[in-house]
Amino acid sequence: MTRRPLVSLLVTVTVLLAACGGSGGDGGGDAASEAAPTLTVYSGRSEELVRPVIEQFEGETGVPVQVRYGATAEMAGAILEEGDNSPADVFFAQDAGALGALSSEGRFAQLDAGTLEQVDPQFRSVNGDWVGVSGRARVAVYNTALLNEGALPDSILDFTDPSWKGRLGWAPTNGSFQAFVTALRVIEGETRAREWLEGIQANEPKVYGGNTAIVQAVAAGEIDAGFVNHYYLHRVKAENPDFPAANHLFPDGDVGSLVNVAGVGILEGSDQPDEARQLVEFLLSEPAQQYFSAETFEIPLVDGVAADPSLPPLETLQQPDLDLAQLSDLEGTLRLLTEVGVI
Amino acid sequence: MALLPAGYLAVRAADGGLDRLLATVASARTLELLVRTAGLAVAVTVTSVVLAVPLAWLTVRTDLPGRRVWAVLSALPLAIPTYIGAFAFVAALGPRGMVRDWLAPLGVEELPSIYGFPGAWLALTLFSYPYVLLTVRAALRRLDPSLEEASRTLGRGTRATFWHVTLPQLRPSITAGALLVALYTLSDFGAVSLLRFDSFTRVIYVQYQASLDRSAAASLGLVLVALTVVVLAVETRSRGRAAYHRLHAGGGRTPPVSALGRWRWPAALACGALVGVALVIPLGVVTYWLVRGLAAGEPLRLTATLVGHSLSASALGAVASVAAAWPVAVLAARHPGRLSRLVEGASYAGYALPGVVVALSLVFFGARVAPAIYQTRTMLVLAYVVLFLPQAVGAIRASLLQVNPSLEEASRLLGRSKVATTWSVVLPLVRPGALAGSALVFLTCMKELPATLLLAPTGYQTLATQVWNATSEAFFGRAAAPALALVLLSALPMAVLVLRESEREPAAPATGTTGSGPPEPDEEALAVSGWRPAPAS
């Protein structure tokens, strides 16, 4: 009697092993040895987002693609550890920092000038070995019922004015916010960055867990304005056009409207450089650029691509004078945020 | 193999030069992290013990109403990955979470923040106390009732007997469970990242995430290894000296059941409260996501392939871990000494390190040394073994210690070879331990994330990676079905084993009566280690 659960457990495990033992292999472990060459992509961007583009690429070119999904940093770490034996042909990263790290370790092959030139120099590698695919801008989102855009300052630095007391929201633990603080440190220096954080802190901002929460709080009138990435508002507005909020872009290359990019590079030593190039070209082609703009409301980086009409045109975004690949000292930023008592 | 991650860390840390290694290790920041991390580990471990010991006693030795149900339910929070559980806590208990929304009509504007230490403490305690629970429950079952009876006969009350006789005997099992809790706390990333507590693991991740600064991350990792060695040393010290004899080596009696009297229902209520927080809140939140997602027309995202991949990789991981644990456990149980302690301790190296460190060390090893198996399922299973070996070692060792060596000697005397003896005498007796150990490893493999993402065959998706995919883009509706499937499937073998053990217990209070037949050491083997009876004479 008492033996039964044990026996059934054993049987279940055995059956499952037998059943799955055969099917597990088509996950791709043996694919490398198969005859048809497969392009291997390491993606730091999520499958939800990337898979449709890859499927379209496969359909158009007939090049079979396998994608390994993970967090950008871990994928980059894996590529570094794999060294020359990396199975990856292409790395598609969420942010410029990881691309910069691989570039400086010499892990990327040179891209063609024709590929690079499609994208403005500020959104690609200074070494010519990775290229931005889509961009996201930092903005201040504000409540349109409570404020006119004219009431918002031209520089994010001016939000330290005491008139903003109790009216602001931010998400200090958010990665994009922290990248902005890193840029602030690089551009304005450590002292000014600290002063800004202390100034905002003195205005008693409400703290949120993420960008979406800030956008919702702004629309609810809980706060007048908050610091976010541009696309969260667009996602909400796509479902609810009357949502009472708008994005404010800081003009004249203000650090408040820093644009960070997702981008792509080809691994040095890839055994399929031609197919890899085809994929990079595809990501910069009109259909793929439009897909990112329509699906994620990110900003297409290729000139002349018709973006979603609600998005700020690329020309209006004036990037502060900064190499995105420099935004790597997150540890220093976290220390500063901790010292100021923000996190 | 198990030392590979530590070796990798040494190589990487040395890359940055000795000066830099020393500068990182000796910095004020590292010291602060050390204090914070150790503080969290101590707090989580102590609270886990405080929760688990009474709970174990209630579910094994009392007439608690619905005892079997509580026995199973109270062990199950272990199946909830912290990256799901902590998410659910934030959604439910966050400053603007669901609970606040319910309380809003009562004028509650904001709940106290659960971020930082309190949240990490709460989440890690609730999702890891079952390690202590399982070990203590097993030990309670094996206690020789005559000791307690003697104490009672000599005039001590129930309470005094518990404090002076029962509890001291439970010490090895408490320590063994506490060891797993402490080391798990050191390595966990899900809870500390979502609840924003700067532990070593979180900062190591930040080093990778921000700057791919591998040598700085590795230096911090080495400090973590050192911390692990300290924890292991403390554990060795506390289990090493005392001897815990059992008078009836083979077939003891079923221990007496205490009547709770008027405390029966309050005790059940307390169990309910704990299970409510640790199990119902996370599962409730995920179910809410599922319902909301389905209502919004989200696809289920639960395919047979995902389930198959998860189950087969985890089952293979469990089987391989048990196989690899066997020699280590035999060494530790049959030949105790400095060397065997060293081997056993080494098996913990992979367990206490952040998953991403272990995964990257295996990436390094796999791509450069063993490209033939790199990113195959073999590699993935190997990673699971490196990560979770100690769970299997502990379970098998505990079971082996219960096998009277004289049985083996008798078999050898009767002419069986060593192999045949192991096969036909030892193996059947240790089977419950091996089975329970594999249930534990299976459950842990099911929820493992970093190694699965980096080392599985490209395109090989599991329930855990699917949950990760969906939540990383904040598509909670799409994460819900795989998350529920993950928790339920990984809890299943564990639940079956716990239930099976509970079935054998007397249902009614029967103080002082003698059970018949030898209790089979089943759940004790779920328990991870700890019991060290003296060799039967």
Side-chain angles (χ1 to χ4, degrees), chain B residues 123-142:
Chain B
L124 283 167
T125 302
L126 290 176
F127 299 129
S128 56
Y129 79 83
Y131 284 126
V132 183
L133 180 73
L134 291 169
T135 50
V136 173
R137 228 158 37 191
L140 266 178
R141 241 180 227 118
R142 277 171 286 146

Side-chain angles (χ1 to χ4, degrees), chain A residues 104-248:
Chain A
S104 64
E105 296 268 335
R107 297 298 308 135
F108 281 143
Q110 282 293 313
L111 294 175
D112 301 332
T115 307
L116 291 166
E117 278 160 13
Q118 296 179 55
V119 173
D120 191 284
Q122 60 190 348
F123 303 125
R124 56 175 147 98
S125 163
V126 286
N127 305 326
D129 56 3
W130 60 263
V131 62
V133 172
S134 58
R136 51 184 185 276
R138 295 292 298 172
V139 295
V141 62
Y142 64 97
N143 184 306
T144 46
L146 299 171
L147 289 180
N148 288 320
E149 183 155 20
L152 295 157
D154 281 348
S155 169
I156 196 167
L157 300 178
D158 296 333
F159 273 109
T160 53
D161 190 280
S163 64
W164 287 101
K165 192 160 193 164
R167 299 165 64 197
L168 294 173
W170 67 0
T173 52
N174 175 269
S176 294
F177 174 81
Q178 292 171 351
F180 152 74
V181 176
T182 311
L184 187 66
R185 291 169 54 224
V186 171
I187 294 171
E188 300 283 339
E190 206 71 31
T191 319
R192 300 268 331 245
R194 180 186 288 269
E195 283 167 6
W196 185 80
L197 287 169
E198 286 168 348
I200 298 290
Q201 190 77 332
N203 277 339
E204 296 166 9
K206 293 214 166 130
V207 177
Y208 295 90
N211 288 303
T212 309
I214 294 181
V215 171
Q216 297 290 353
V218 163
E222 210 172 288
I223 45 176
D224 289 6
F227 309 130
V228 293
N229 283 348
H230 79 275
Y231 48 80
Y232 292 93
L233 178 69
H234 295 275
R235 290 180 188 175
V236 181
K237 280 213 160 189
E239 286 169 13
N240 177 11
D242 300 327
F243 198 74
N247 280 340
H248 171 64

